[in-house]
Amino acid sequence: METTLNSSQKNLHALYNPGHIVIVGFSRDESKEPAIFLRELLNQGYKGKISLLGRERGQFQGCEMYDSAAALPEGIDLAFNMVAAGKTLDILPQVAARGVPAAVIFTSGFAEMDPSGADLQRKLVEACNANGMRVVGPNCPGYFYLPNGINLTGIPDIPQGPIGLISQSGNVGITLWDQAKTIDIGFSAFVGVGNQADIPIHDHIEYLGQDDNTKVIALYLEGLPDGHGPRFVSVCRDVSRRKPIVALKGGRTVGGMRAAQSHTAAMSSASKVYSALFKDCGVIEVAHLEHLLPIAEVLYRCPPMKGRRVAIVGSGGGHSTVSTDEVELAGLTVPEFNSELQAEYGKRLPSYAPKRNPVDMTGGFTKDPTRFAQMTELVLAHDPNFDGFINYGLYGFYRNGKPPADAVHTYESAGPVIGHVQARSGLPVIFYTPYAYRRDPAYSALRNAGIPCYPNIHLAALGLAALYERNQLLTKAADTDAKVDGPAETSANPALHGTGITEATAVAYLSGFGIRFPKLELCQTGDEAAVAAKRIGFPVVLKAVLPGVMHKSDVGGVAVGLSSSAAVSEAATTMTGHVTAALGAGRQDGFLVSEDLGKRRELFVGVRKDSLMGAIGLVGFGGVYAEAVNDTAICLLPATPARVAACLERLQSKSMWTEFRGEPAVAPAKIAALLNALDRALAADRLTAIECNPVMIVGGDLIAVDAAIETTEVA
């Protein structure tokens, strides 16, 4: 661990490296949790001092027992609180007053329960902080730091290794500790952050980022405290350049968000916000709990993958086909081998064996398990343009897992030979075999040689994709992409009044921030609209002014392509009839007439206030079908060209925003400038969201054709 620690990190140093621990709420009853936790702490081999605070004095298993906080000795580094929630407020601040710098509150019954629990939690943290104590939790499932022999989870036999796990769920931790045994990996640290009432998840990331015993950080995250998003991004951006971070976001669906809120009192933001946040700061996101630890393992065992080109080498026609599908679905490519390599395979394999990529050795490995390494070495020698490998086949247990008696290698001794391919070439190799999760020396040998192996082809492909993502981060220049300012603002911005802000009001307000709109005029009658249309120039668009209505086209309030004054007058009459039928009389407040820009590519560009990040941007497919298509990506603010380019790349419609049918590519810098202008406009009181939809792409310019502003209600 590096020696330069800020004040918060010094408290965490007491958590991960305590020389003296006190268990608060201890009872001699060995069937109860305090005694169980003490037993596992002793079994883990903790060498420091342990004190026990309960209702009586004496000794228990060599540890001194105290009946009051005032009687505790000095020099305690960590308090592990197991007292009921109501009593914790009375006892733990007294422990803090003894100079204890850190506490883990195992107890539940705080903000995850109800408002009264939230109030109790706030008072507890304030009282502990006032005495110099920082708090993990409450509602924390425990923690361990195995290099120092600390295990305060109550769970025995947790495998030690290079993964630091930070989780908002104890059950997730238990699941992964068990899974670790099937893939020969282990943990340096675990902390259950619980409600994050004091120490947020990113402080632990920062600390483990400096910990020499932690090589990869794995996160299970349900939510961050309000306003902590920017700090999370800053910490992860720094740490992810030094060691990989892998995350699973819980609460990605409406039902999942409800469960996450009741479980940890952390209000989950939309999954797109967290995905954008992870992408921006170099955190590799997984979608399934079963993938979190294996992807962390891949990032520990394998080198980053420098490109997308994958060679698939193994035995089995069906497996080769499915492997190809999974690799390409993961965003990688499976190019055909060059003729030289195919000829080399032709010298060694039957004429009927596929040799173009994937290559299928049709069972030759049963006599010599190192055939996987030999066939992979041929790629390196004769077609060295590949970036990574999947080996596949019935490795290990096919035909009882026993090569012939005269074979030079067993499956176990072949593992290091395959590992040498990865070590020598610097290119990752991941193995698929359906038997990989059986506890067998053959698979341990592969993993110990640096080769992850899985009984799931999809997971093997995702592993290579994660290695490619890791390389993209490591080769990207750090923090060189400057914010792009929006257009120049005018000297005055009109005030916004009321809750039913019309499009005309929104356009006038946003124009003051330099945002471009077509020529338009506000009119009270159809006749006025016809005259205005002539001034603007045909064709025009006619819109009903409808305070409080976000989507005018849904009620017949939009007409496009009007090419004469008569057409405008007729459209106005028809439009008023449709609006009255849909909304009732008196809802329409005139007409907007605007220049018709014709058929163009249409973007959705907007901003909204967000409890996590302060404000976020949205970019995506625009127009009347924007909601139905739902193809948008979150852009963190302030927007930069790189952030916008990453957003466009995540869209299903991404090819539309490149050079398209003779039109130029959309410039990320111009979208960034528009987002930043909208962000400045959003800063006004009561504004919650601003939407420009569509924003038309005219040549190289962005012109907002419609605008809507949402506000909070005012009593």
Side-chain angles (χ1 to χ4, degrees):
M1 169 64 68
E2 296 178 11
T3 57
T4 54
L5 300 172
N6 60 37
S7 58
S8 174
Q9 295 296 295
K10 288 178 181 177
N11 292 86
L12 286 178
H13 188 72
L15 172 71
Y16 289 100
N17 296 273
H20 188 170
I21 297 171
V22 59
I23 298 177
V24 181
F26 190 79
S27 164
R28 290 180 178 273
D29 187 338
E30 296 192 31
S31 67
K32 292 186 176 180
E33 285 184 319
I36 293 171
F37 275 60
L38 173 63
R39 182 175 67 240
E40 293 308 327
L41 178 60
L42 294 171
N43 288 343
Q44 194 66 44
Y46 176 61
K47 303 299 183 184
K49 187 175 180 180
I50 302 172
S51 294
L52 309 172
L53 177 59
R55 297 179 178 178
E56 57 183 299
R57 286 180 174 268
Q59 283 202 339
F60 185 82
Q61 294 193 12
C63 303
E64 197 70 27
M65 297 179 65
Y66 300 87
D67 60 359
S68 72
L72 289 171
E74 294 182 351
I76 296 174
D77 300 299
L78 174 72
F80 191 82
N81 183 78
M82 306 187 81
V83 177
K87 296 181 179 179
T88 296
L89 181 58
D90 296 327
I91 296 175
L92 195 59
Q94 296 180 48
V95 176
R98 299 294 295 159
V100 181
V104 175
I105 303 178
F106 176 77
T107 316
S108 59
F110 293 90
E112 78 281 358
M113 297 297 292
D114 52 36
S116 64
D119 186 57
L120 178 64
Q121 176 175 292
R122 177 186 56 78
K123 291 177 180 177
L124 174 62
V125 171
E126 288 176 355
C128 290
N129 287 173
N131 286 295
M133 174 185 280
R134 298 295 305 277
V135 170
V136 178
N139 187 30
C140 167
Y143 94 107
F144 61 69
Y145 186 68
L146 299 184
N148 286 349
I150 301 168
N151 178 4
L152 282 165
T153 66
I155 306 296
D157 303 322
I158 298 170
Q160 186 170 339
I163 309 297
L165 175 61
I166 308 169
S167 174
Q168 282 183 269
S169 165
N171 285 341
V172 166
I174 293 169
T175 299
L176 299 184
W177 306 335
D178 187 68
Q179 184 187 24
K181 298 170 185 177
T182 68
I183 56 175
D184 298 289
I185 201 75
F187 301 88
S188 58
F190 164 77
V191 60
V193 295
N195 293 354
Q196 300 181 83
D198 185 17
I199 299 177
I201 206 166
H202 35 282
D203 281 10
H204 296 283
I205 295 171
E206 185 176 32
Y207 187 88
L208 293 179
Q210 302 177 71
D211 177 42
D212 293 337
N213 294 306
T214 300
K215 307 303 181 184
V216 180
I217 298 171
L219 309 177
Y220 172 70
L221 174 66
E222 290 176 355
L224 293 169
D226 286 355
H228 279 248
R231 173 67 177 156
F232 180 91
V233 170
S234 176
V235 168
C236 290
R237 183 176 289 152
D238 175 61
V239 171
S240 65
R241 287 189 167 270
R242 286 183 272 118
K243 59 184 66 174
I245 306 173
V246 188
L248 172 66
K249 170 67 175 70
R252 291 177 293 145
T253 65
V254 173
M257 288 171 66
R258 182 174 62 249
Q261 185 177 2
S262 62
H263 181 51
T264 64
M267 183 61 183
S268 300
S269 294
S271 62
K272 284 185 178 180
V273 175
Y274 276 92
S275 292
L277 183 150
F278 293 150
K279 280 284 187 184
D280 195 84
C281 60
V283 174
I284 295 172
E285 183 179 14
V286 299
H288 302 283
L289 174 59
E290 294 78 12
H291 295 172
L292 180 57
L293 190 58
I295 295 302
E297 181 208 3
V298 164
L299 291 162
Y300 167 67
R301 298 197 195 279
C302 297
M305 193 164 81
K306 298 174 183 177
R308 298 176 184 267
R309 295 164 57 93
V310 177
I312 300 174
V313 178
S315 180
H319 287 160
S320 70
T321 302
V322 175
S323 295
T324 304
D325 289 341
E326 293 291 357
V327 166
E328 295 195 342
L329 287 170
L332 308 175
T333 64
V334 186
E336 184 173 346
F337 294 140
N338 65 23
S339 57
E340 177 184 331
L341 177 57
Q342 291 187 46
E344 290 298 321
Y345 280 134
K347 297 175 184 176
R348 295 164 175 82
L349 298 176
S351 59
Y352 54 83
K355 308 173 185 69
R356 299 169 61 187
N357 197 18
V359 63
D360 177 1
M361 70 179 78
T362 66
F365 71 94
T366 57
K367 296 181 180 179
D368 181 2
T370 66
R371 289 275 281 175
F372 290 95
Q374 297 167 23
M375 297 294 108
T376 303
E377 290 274 14
L378 287 175
V379 180
L380 297 171
H382 298 281
D383 195 353
N385 295 314
F386 285 84
D387 305 298
F389 300 92
I390 283 183
N391 285 168
Y392 68 92
L394 302 177
Y395 187 92
F397 271 87
Y398 183 60
R399 293 180 179 173
N400 298 318
K402 296 179 180 179
D406 59 349
V408 174
H409 283 282
T410 64
Y411 285 108
E412 184 176 356
S413 68
V417 180
I418 300 171
H420 179 71
V421 175
Q422 176 173 276
R424 186 179 68 81
S425 66
L427 304 181
V429 181
I430 298 179
F431 214 113
Y432 162 75
T433 172
Y435 314 117
Y437 282 176
R438 298 190 186 187
R439 301 300 302 277
D440 188 84
Y443 308 122
S444 296
L446 279 172
R447 295 181 184 113
N448 291 336
I451 308 298
C453 52
Y454 303 112
N456 183 310
I457 298 175
H458 178 58
L459 186 52
L462 291 179
L464 288 182
L467 293 169
Y468 175 70
E469 186 175 346
R470 178 71 182 154
N471 186 76
Q472 291 292 97
L473 170 69
L474 294 177
T475 56
K476 183 177 73 173
D479 299 324
T480 60
D481 201 21
K483 169 189 171 184
V484 177
D485 290 329
E489 300 177 24
T490 60
S491 57
N493 296 315
L496 299 173
H497 300 289
T499 57
I501 297 173
T502 66
E503 180 185 351
T505 308
V507 168
Y509 176 69
L510 295 176
S511 294
F513 290 88
I515 296 169
R516 289 187 60 186
F517 291 89
K519 292 182 288 184
L520 57 83
E521 293 189 28
L522 177 62
C523 307
Q524 292 303 310
T525 67
D527 290 340
E528 289 180 12
V531 174
K534 191 172 183 180
R535 283 194 296 268
I536 290 172
F538 297 106
V540 297
V541 176
L542 183 70
K543 303 177 186 179
V545 177
L546 301 171
V549 177
M550 288 285 291
H551 303 297
K552 297 176 288 293
S553 58
D554 291 349
V555 296
V558 179
V560 302
L562 304 177
S563 57
S564 67
S565 296
V568 172
S569 296
E570 181 180 351
T573 301
T574 302
M575 186 176 294
T576 299
H578 288 320
V579 169
T580 300
L583 303 176
R587 290 296 305 276
Q588 186 173 344
D589 194 14
F591 298 92
L592 268 182
V593 184
S594 69
E595 177 184 8
D596 191 334
L597 300 179
K599 293 188 179 297
R600 309 276 183 173
R601 289 178 290 173
E602 297 180 339
L603 277 168
F604 178 103
V605 182
V607 293
R608 70 169 174 85
K609 288 181 178 173
D610 179 76
S611 62
L612 177 65
M613 297 299 298
I616 56 172
L618 296 91
V619 179
F621 182 89
V624 295
Y625 300 114
E627 286 182 307
V629 174
N630 192 25
D631 184 26
T632 58
I634 301 295
C635 182
L636 299 192
L637 300 173
T640 65
R643 280 177 165 172
V644 171
C647 284
L648 297 178
E649 183 64 26
R650 293 198 295 272
L651 297 175
Q652 294 294 316
S653 57
K654 61 184 179 181
S655 61
M656 287 184 61
W657 319 118
T658 59
E659 292 184 9
F660 187 78
R661 296 186 176 178
E663 296 187 33
V666 182
K670 293 194 173 183
I671 299 176
L674 175 56
L675 283 168
N676 290 332
L678 292 173
D679 186 31
R680 291 198 303 275
L682 186 67
D685 290 342
R686 297 194 304 109
L687 299 195
T688 57
I690 303 174
E691 169 188 312
C692 291
N693 179 38
V695 173
M696 288 193 171
I697 302 161
V698 182
D701 296 326
L702 303 180
I703 300 177
V705 176
D706 201 345
I709 295 176
E710 293 183 14
T711 66
T712 54
E713 295 293 332
V714 178

